[in-house]
Amino acid sequence: MSVSLVLVPLAVAAVAAAHGATAGRDSAGRIVCQVQTRMRDETLLAAALRESNAVVTADGKDILAAWDRVRANFQRGQDGVWSAHLTGDIDEQRAVDIIRAIDAGYGRQVQRAVLERLRERAPAAGLRLESEAVAEDASVRLVFAVEGRSS
């Protein structure tokens, strides 16, 4: 089976929902539906795919992911919106579930990248990391101290 998904950025998702974006079929009869996502960065998307145990190939334009019996071709349109065409042992619900899991992995990749940048840039900003705590919901709390500032 084959399912195509349009990965709608979260900022646009509310507008799309208001306009009744739902599943349907394209002119070739393939199932096409829209899924809310935050994915923009190709590197982070590829990392999230690898985190889902996919074999990932990127050629600068498309990102291809392969799991046991499912393959996905991710393409970015001229409007910057990603679409994913999934083939193999797939139906609409499984396709949506896979993309949502990848989106969650993408969120973890974004969090890691932001934390890394904060840790790297803190000294140059006159900050020293005093503590770091990870909560049950995977949120991270960083406490910085201001270094060498006198009035």
Side-chain angles (χ1 to χ4, degrees):
M1 181 157 192
S2 173
V3 178
S4 292
L5 304 171
V6 177
L7 309 180
V8 181
L10 288 175
V12 180
V15 174
H19 287 86
T22 58
R25 294 196 180 265
D26 67 7
S27 59
R30 295 178 298 202
I31 297 171
V32 178
C33 59
Q34 293 187 350
V35 179
Q36 296 177 10
T37 182
R38 62 190 131 203
M39 296 183 270
R40 290 178 180 234
D41 184 288
E42 297 90 359
T43 304
L44 297 178
L45 174 54
L49 288 165
R50 286 185 189 93
E51 183 181 283
S52 75
N53 296 318
V55 175
V56 179
T57 307
D59 64 8
K61 181 181 172 202
D62 295 351
I63 298 176
L64 306 173
W67 297 270
D68 185 24
R69 293 181 306 241
V70 176
R71 298 199 184 300
N73 180 7
F74 291 82
Q75 297 178 321
R76 191 190 308 255
Q78 290 182 349
D79 57 1
V81 175
W82 285 97
S83 64
H85 181 73
L86 288 85
T87 58
D89 185 12
I90 193 83
D91 61 20
E92 180 181 339
Q93 186 57 53
R94 185 162 182 226
V96 170
D97 291 345
I98 287 170
I99 296 301
R100 287 190 176 145
I102 292 166
D103 185 62
Y106 184 91
R108 289 187 294 275
Q109 295 297 324
V110 169
Q111 182 183 44
R112 284 183 197 120
V114 169
L115 289 170
E116 185 177 312
R117 277 195 302 262
L118 286 171
R119 287 184 200 108
E120 287 174 357
R121 295 179 183 173
L127 302 173
R128 178 179 37 86
L129 180 61
E130 286 195 332
S131 69
E132 181 174 333
V134 180
E136 284 185 33
D137 67 355
S139 62
V140 179
R141 180 178 181 197
L142 303 176
V143 177
F144 291 94
V146 178
E147 295 257 298
R149 302 276 176 161
S150 59
S151 331

